[in-house]
């Protein structure tokens, strides 16, 4: 399942993050990929152990923790500290798949990448190109979102970023291990939860809705791995 989560960050938060990032030094983006990715990746990133990156990443993690739509879709167990990238002057990232397991640098902590997230920090009008293209069984999906919005998609998907031919595309990106490993099961839980919430808003806590909410939790109990 691919999901657009709008307004994860406020305008003020985006402005603060951008001002800090624009005054920071960037390194070659190939620092965080394996040999296959290195052949097709051409962009810049904040160093993984950058104190500035960690500080800005905390703002994003806090915003995600308070976002019910993100929680319902991702059912997050653990998330790597968010990273930041920048594409300009024709930079791009060719077709690739994200590594299945990531170790957080400087720790013994690893996670399985179930979900890949890109949080846009540039307005779409500020750059040309830079679309995130995600391939799934239904074809190719093109993504370019307002600053502060996030796209979430299964890490098992091939994807690429088209060349940025004008302006700069600045984003945060990170991976989440979900409590529910299987994308299909996670998608069923998401739809059930969203529909239950809509029905509850319309009808209040009717007995049938209470029973179905119990089903949601019992399915989650059956499928969650902690
Ligand atoms: Ni990727």
């Amino acid at each position: 399942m691919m999901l657009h989560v709008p307004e994860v960050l406020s305008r003020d938060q985006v402005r603060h993050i951008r001002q800090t990032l624009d005054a920071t030094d960037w390194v070659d983006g190939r620092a965080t990929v394996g040999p296959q990715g290195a052949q097709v990746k051409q962009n810049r990133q904040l160093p993984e152990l950058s104190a500035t990156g960690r500080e800005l990443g905390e703002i994003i993690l806090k915003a995600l923790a308070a976002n019910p739509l993100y929680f319902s879709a991702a059912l997050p167990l653990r998330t790597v500290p968010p990273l930041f990238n920048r594409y300009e002057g024709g930079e791009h990232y060719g077709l690739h798949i994200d590594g299945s397991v990531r170790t957080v640098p400087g720790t013994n902590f690893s996670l399985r990448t179930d979900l890949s997230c890109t949080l846009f920090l540039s307005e779409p009008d500020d750059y040309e190109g830079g679309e995130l293209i995600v391939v799934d069984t239904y074809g190719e999906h093109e993504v370019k979102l307002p600053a502060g919005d996030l796209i979430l998609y299964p890490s098992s998907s091939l994807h690429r970023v088209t060349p940025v031919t004008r302006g700069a595309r600045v984003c945060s990106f990170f991976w989440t291990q979900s409590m529910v490993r299987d994308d299909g099961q996670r998608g069923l839980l998401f739809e059930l939860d969203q529909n239950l919430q809509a029905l509850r808003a319309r009808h209040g806590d009717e007995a049938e809705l209470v029973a179905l909410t119990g089903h949601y939790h019992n399915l989650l109990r059956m499928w969650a791995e902690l």
Side-chain angles (χ1 to χ4, degrees):
M1 178 184 66
M2 191 170 184
L3 183 75
H4 171 189
V5 184
E7 294 172 13
V8 170
L9 297 179
S10 68
R11 281 173 175 277
D12 282 349
Q13 286 174 316
V14 170
R15 198 175 308 124
H16 167 67
I17 292 176
R18 275 306 299 272
Q19 278 170 355
T20 312
L21 287 176
D22 290 348
T24 304
D25 290 330
W26 298 79
V27 298
D28 190 320
R30 283 173 291 196
T32 52
V33 288
Q36 195 272 330
Q39 289 175 36
V40 291
K41 187 173 186 181
Q42 205 187 96
N43 68 0
R44 279 166 299 150
Q45 280 177 202
L46 231 55
E48 266 194 289
L49 290 170
S50 143
T52 306
R54 287 293 165 95
E55 216 177 288
L56 299 179
E58 280 301 316
I59 298 174
I60 294 172
L61 291 178
K62 257 191 206 152
L64 289 174
N67 190 302
L69 183 61
Y70 172 79
F71 186 87
S72 175
L75 296 171
L77 179 61
R78 38 180 96 102
T79 300
V80 296
L83 298 169
F84 297 87
N85 61 16
R86 184 178 185 101
Y87 295 77
E88 60 193 322
E91 287 176 325
H92 61 278
Y93 196 165
L95 195 65
H96 68 281
I97 200 150
D98 295 340
S100 48
V101 175
R102 288 199 73 89
T103 303
V104 177
T107 71
N108 293 323
F109 173 82
S110 295
L111 59 70
R112 185 185 63 234
T113 58
D114 293 323
L115 291 161
S116 296
C117 298
T118 298
L119 174 58
F120 289 75
L121 296 167
S122 300
E123 292 297 349
D125 290 347
D126 290 347
Y127 60 101
E128 209 73 57
E131 287 84 6
L132 169 69
I133 311 282
V134 181
V135 184
D136 74 9
T137 50
Y138 291 94
E140 291 199 344
H141 305 275
E142 193 178 296
V143 184
K144 191 173 190 175
L145 300 178
D149 287 18
L150 174 138
I151 191 83
L152 173 142
Y153 58 96
S155 301
S156 52
S157 324
L158 283 166
H159 56 280
R160 64 192 166 95
V161 177
T162 66
V164 173
T165 53
R166 176 183 64 81
R169 174 197 193 265
V170 178
C171 289
S172 173
F173 64 104
F174 49 90
W175 296 272
T176 293
Q177 178 171 337
S178 176
M179 290 187 274
V180 177
R181 176 184 195 151
D182 183 81
D183 187 56
Q185 291 174 335
R186 205 184 315 112
L188 284 176
L189 288 170
F190 176 65
E191 276 194 32
L192 184 55
D193 184 40
Q194 294 300 301
N195 283 299
L196 282 170
Q197 284 189 43
L199 285 173
R200 196 174 303 120
R202 216 177 299 159
H203 301 286
D205 274 327
E206 289 182 352
E208 293 85 350
L209 277 169
V210 174
L212 287 172
T213 302
H215 274 53
Y216 170 85
H217 282 286
N218 290 334
L219 283 172
L220 180 55
R221 202 185 324 275
M222 198 182 293
W223 291 336
E225 308 159 34
L226 304 177

